[in-house]
Amino acid sequence: MTTRERILNSIQANQPSLLPLPEQFTFTSSFPDLTKQFSDSLAFVGGMAVVVPDHKTIEAHLKEHYPGMTSVASTCPELAHLADRGLDVADPHELASLNLTIIEGPLAVAENAAIWVDERQLPHRVVPMITQYLAIIIRQSTIVPNMHDAYKKLKVNETGFGTFISGPSKTADIEQSLVIGAHGARSLIVYVLP
Amino acid sequence: MSQLTLDHASASVEFNKNEPRVDWHDETLWFVRTKRDRAVAQIPEWEQLREAASQIKNHVLSNMHDLLVQFEENAKQNGITVHWAADGAEHNAIIHGLIQKAGATRMVKSKSMLTEECHLNDYLTQHGIEVIDSDLGERIVQMRKEPPSHIVLPAIHLTKADVGETFHEHLGTEKGATDPQYLTEAARQHLRETFLTRKVALTGVNFAIAETGGFVVCTNEGNADMGAHLADVHIAAMGFEKIIPRAEHLGVYLRLLARSATGQPITTFSSHFHRPRPGQEMHIVIVDNGRSRQLGRPDFRNSLKCIRCAACMNTCPVYRRSGGHSYHSAVAGPIGSILAPNLDMKQNADLPFASTLCGSCSNVCPVKIDIHDQLYKWRQVLMQEGYGPTAKTVSMKAMATVLESPRLYRMAGKIGRGVLRFAPVTVENRFNPWYNQREMPEPPAESFRDWYVNHKKS
Ligand code: SF4
């Protein structure tokens, strides 16, 4: 008998008799203003949301916030001219020198400021973690109230990898003091377009 | 790492010798617990969410076989190689084999309590493989050659001065530096270099989805992602109980996990892996290591519902004052004290006694595990199997004899009252653990029985 069979047999012999899956496991959250809830949640986890009317305003904000930044990449066509490098490298290790990356997020969650991105937004999976600074552009209309709503809209296996990102990389492993910028991005700015 | 394993009570006595440090430890964890409370208060449906989480897991436990088979089939179709390991030794050997096959001698690893449970690091080191833990807390304890003392906050027992000292020695940071920002930056540089140079990365698994054959890994630092996305081979190690039926159930668990753990609304990264990236290999090692045995114990099987949030540890008055290492087990605290005796009853017989049974753990548990009831039940099993703590076994035997005989019982009462009144020192001494930290009551002049007999007469 293989280990697999042994484990599965033992599980079958030991598991209790079948209990049904609960039907009620999703809940509705009501927030008077989804964008405000999203922005507040993001501030709470160390990120910053900026509500902007158009891409021009994003550009101005980025230039002001990261003056003279080089090694910038963008997957957003409207901001392609801000980029001085591409992301279409063969080996993701070549992305180690990325400073600022601008990507788009197709779905955001108000309750926890999580933004879903998958391989359709990411030329390489490691992009949002390996870059020093990260900017994500979302649309107001794509903000859903909570995680249940998000999973109703998502097909998690549509691409090989997808992740919810909520804020910049952080740690509190040294005496519970919050430090932003552990391994991943040292900051996260989310631009919310109408 | 000290090889000498003290039992929980003796190890706690050691830990308690440094009183300010114990107070600090207690307060730090309580601070995390209050953050949890604040986060929970913002979710009006919290209790229903817990109930849903618990019921989904009840279904999972009762349908484990089929869910795992379904997961395996879908994972294979996704191009993930699935391995099965009956115990820690097999788990370690499989992983070692994969590293050898990749022609590597070094590996980067993100947090996985399962690999701690299986002592993977020791095994690989003995076989000439260098392992670097990439979660900051894990890296700190690894440099110090200590095990993690907490499943979510591995270095919670250390002060920033301790970390500064450790980094000075291992990373060459300035002597005496204690600024967390500065220390974290040093670790960031060191680990970035590691991520960029390892061909093999290992991660844990927070949830595995039967319906889609993928798995989810949650971190705040992004270390699991950095490792996995840069390596040629990604190995994920999972205890089989991590399975959930459908992706939409993640909505329930991701809402509960981080709030229960640290009071955050969600971890920074909740990464869903379904297929290896082009040119990459992805492996899953599904581990039993006693879990199927626990599944067969009706009183204890609920412990397999655990999502490893650590809320039960943060709230536990015993954990907070005895420190994670006193539990001498990969998973410490209340839930660890239920899981450990299943792994080795003799070795871990002391752990279910390391609880006040106050029930706080059960109250905070996001999947509604009856933790304190299970601890109570373990005590009974352990006493019956003859693994009870010696002092308790002896006094319990004496007590049984006394309780069985009315005459002895009356005599014992008389002697007891006499002793307490006329020779309190025999009770109030350091050899009586019950007297430790406690005021003994004034003994009554008359027993209830004598009072009853006298009053019935009149
Ligand atoms: S037993 Fe419950 S509270 Fe404790 S770690 Fe597991 S899920 Fe969290």
Side-chain angles (χ1 to χ4, degrees):
Chain A
M1 214 181 343
T2 62
T3 297
R4 176 185 180 278
E5 285 162 10
R6 259 197 302 142
I7 296 174
L8 284 172
N9 287 348
S10 164
I11 287 173
Q12 190 143 46
N14 285 336
Q15 71 189 21
S17 40
L18 190 67
L19 289 166
L21 264 175
E23 312 216 332
Q24 166 52 19
F25 61 88
T26 67
F27 302 88
T28 23
S29 306
S30 49
F31 301 112
D33 179 346
L34 289 180
T35 307
K36 178 164 187 322
Q37 174 63 34
F38 176 87
S39 306
D40 291 351
S41 306
L42 187 60
F44 181 73
V45 296
M48 172 167 64
V50 189
V51 181
V52 288
D54 50 28
H55 287 93
K56 273 258 157 296
T57 321
I58 298 178
E59 181 174 343
H61 189 273
L62 278 172
K63 281 187 170 153
E64 192 193 315
H65 211 80
Y66 299 109
M69 182 74 83
T70 56
S71 200
V72 178
S74 167
T75 63
C76 172
E78 289 88 346
L79 297 174
H81 58 283
L82 292 182
D84 60 6
R85 59 174 292 171
L87 293 169
D88 51 346
V89 292
D91 177 355
H93 289 82
E94 291 174 39
L95 301 171
S97 59
L98 262 182
N99 278 328
L100 172 65
T101 307
I102 308 157
I103 59 174
E104 294 170 298
L107 176 75
V109 186
E111 70 157 332
N112 55 17
I115 300 167
W116 174 263
V117 287
D118 62 33
E119 289 184 305
R120 284 167 298 186
Q121 288 82 42
L122 303 174
H124 283 280
R125 295 175 181 188
V126 79
V127 162
M129 298 91 194
I130 204 168
T131 188
Q132 298 287 336
Y133 305 95
L134 180 64
I136 308 183
I137 302 171
I138 64 168
R139 295 271 172 188
Q140 211 154 19
S141 58
T142 62
I143 305 179
V144 297
N146 68 25
M147 291 300 284
H148 309 297
D149 305 315
Y151 279 107
K152 277 177 198 149
K153 294 208 161 177
L154 279 179
K155 237 185 125 220
V156 290
N157 56 343
E158 208 155 0
T159 70
F161 173 77
T163 184
F164 279 108
I165 301 178
S166 173
S169 156
K170 58 174 125 357
T171 180
D173 273 344
I174 302 179
E175 254 197 45
Q176 281 298 293
S177 327
L178 182 71
V179 178
I180 304 280
H183 308 292
R186 297 170 186 271
S187 72
L188 172 67
I189 304 181
V190 178
Y191 293 104
V192 188
L193 281 172
Chain B
M1 201 183 310
S2 112
Q3 284 305 311
L4 178 88
T5 342
L6 295 172
D7 67 2
H8 178 268
S10 320
S12 310
V13 170
E14 278 304 309
F15 186 77
N16 273 276
K17 282 187 178 151
N18 187 343
E19 209 172 304
R21 209 177 169 102
V22 177
D23 290 345
W24 167 82
H25 189 262
D26 177 25
E27 281 157 22
T28 309
L29 284 154
W30 186 253
F31 169 67
V32 184
R33 156 74 209 263
T34 55
K35 285 203 290 181
R36 173 248 173 224
D37 290 350
R38 278 200 293 278
V40 166
Q42 288 178 12
I43 307 292
E45 66 275 24
W46 184 259
E47 286 308 314
Q48 289 111 289
L49 258 183
R50 286 177 76 208
E51 184 58 33
S54 170
Q55 285 186 21
I56 295 167
K57 286 278 181 178
N58 283 339
H59 167 81
V60 168
L61 295 185
S62 72
N63 196 25
M64 190 66 84
H65 175 276
D66 291 2
L67 288 172
L68 286 169
V69 171
Q70 187 192 359
F71 172 77
E72 179 189 42
E73 196 180 304
N74 289 325
K76 278 183 174 167
Q77 260 172 27
N78 291 341
I80 304 175
T81 312
V82 179
H83 309 257
W84 298 78
D87 53 24
E90 203 167 351
H91 160 269
N92 295 346
I94 291 169
I95 290 167
H96 185 209
L98 291 170
I99 299 170
Q100 281 179 318
K101 213 180 95 211
T105 53
R106 307 187 297 178
M107 178 176 80
V108 65
K109 180 164 145 275
S110 83
K111 202 150 77 63
S112 152
M113 291 318 294
L114 175 63
T115 58
E116 290 292 331
E117 173 188 318
C118 298
H119 305 289
L120 176 71
N121 285 15
D122 283 349
Y123 175 90
L124 289 180
T125 310
Q126 276 162 25
H127 286 78
I129 308 284
E130 181 211 71
V131 187
I132 291 199
D133 281 318
S134 60
D135 172 273
L136 178 59
E138 293 244 310
R139 186 70 191 115
I140 295 168
V141 293
Q142 187 183 33
M143 284 174 180
R144 298 171 63 94
K145 299 197 168 28
E146 286 174 12
S149 74
H150 185 282
I151 58 174
V152 171
L153 315 161
I156 192 74
H157 59 294
L158 299 171
T159 64
K160 49 192 177 189
D162 298 329
V163 178
E165 195 59 32
T166 307
F167 279 15
H168 172 65
E169 189 184 321
H170 294 270
L171 298 179
T173 53
E174 266 171 65
K175 187 155 180 64
T178 57
D179 175 30
Q181 184 86 45
Y182 166 78
L183 296 173
T184 303
E185 184 62 33
R188 176 183 171 103
Q189 302 301 340
H190 151 67
L191 286 165
R192 192 161 253 260
E193 197 273 326
T194 309
F195 290 126
L196 287 164
T197 50
R198 297 304 184 268
K199 284 211 274 191
V200 182
L202 185 141
T203 68
V205 169
N206 287 91
F207 305 97
I209 314 155
E211 178 196 35
T212 63
F215 58 95
V216 176
V217 184
C218 304
T219 71
N220 277 327
E221 299 179 9
N223 54 320
D225 287 280
M226 281 288 268
H229 303 325
L230 290 171
D232 299 340
V233 181
H234 174 187
I235 308 169
M238 81 175 238
F240 70 62
E241 80 283 9
K242 293 288 163 102
I243 197 94
I244 59 169
R246 299 200 294 263
E248 55 184 331
H249 295 135
L250 287 166
V252 175
Y253 294 107
L254 292 186
R255 294 187 79 196
L256 290 166
L257 178 62
R259 288 188 173 97
S260 298
T262 55
Q264 287 170 254
I266 188 170
T267 46
T268 304
F269 302 98
S270 308
S271 293
H272 302 51
F273 295 85
H274 276 90
R275 289 187 285 283
R277 64 166 205 273
Q280 188 194 33
E281 270 180 45
M282 199 178 273
H283 298 264
I284 283 206
V285 186
I286 302 177
V287 181
D288 182 338
N289 204 30
R291 286 165 176 75
S292 60
R293 182 172 56 231
Q294 192 86 323
L295 188 62
R297 300 190 210 262
D299 282 347
F300 304 115
R301 68 165 61 106
N302 270 350
S303 59
L304 296 174
K305 289 153 82 171
C306 178
I307 57 172
R308 303 287 193 269
C309 72
C312 57
M313 303 178 192
N314 301 340
T315 201
C316 177
V318 177
Y319 177 91
R320 294 202 315 268
R321 291 174 183 80
S322 55
H325 288 156
S326 66
Y327 292 80
H328 56 81
S329 163
V331 181
I335 186 65
S337 300
I338 297 171
L339 299 171
N342 174 57
L343 286 174
D344 187 335
M345 223 185 266
K346 186 160 182 272
Q347 192 71 40
N348 300 308
D350 54 325
L351 295 183
F353 294 88
S355 168
T356 62
L357 303 184
C358 67
S360 184
C361 46
S362 309
N363 278 325
V364 295
C365 178
V367 289
K368 285 194 162 183
I369 300 174
D370 48 339
I371 306 174
H372 72 292
D373 288 333
Q374 291 193 37
L375 288 169
Y376 180 60
K377 285 174 186 160
W378 258 131
R379 293 183 185 185
Q380 295 170 49
V381 172
L382 291 163
M383 293 309 281
Q384 265 157 24
E385 305 274 324
Y387 292 122
T390 338
K392 283 207 175 68
T393 317
V394 172
S395 53
M396 295 275 278
K397 279 215 180 93
M399 192 148 81
T401 318
V402 171
L403 289 177
E404 271 161 18
S405 148
R407 198 178 52 82
L408 268 181
Y409 177 78
R410 285 201 293 275
M411 201 171 81
K414 235 175 224 144
I415 296 170
R417 283 188 305 282
V419 165
L420 269 175
R421 246 175 313 146
F422 302 115
V425 69
T426 49
V427 181
E428 298 169 8
N429 68 62
R430 66 194 168 84
F431 297 109
N432 176 3
W434 184 250
Y435 175 63
N436 244 327
Q437 325 267 339
R438 283 185 187 86
E439 297 284 336
M440 292 306 282
E442 278 287 311
E446 182 179 43
S447 76
F448 173 74
R449 184 182 176 275
D450 292 346
W451 175 86
Y452 182 76
V453 171
N454 289 338
H455 277 68
K456 219 169 75 170
K457 270 189 226 145
S458 54

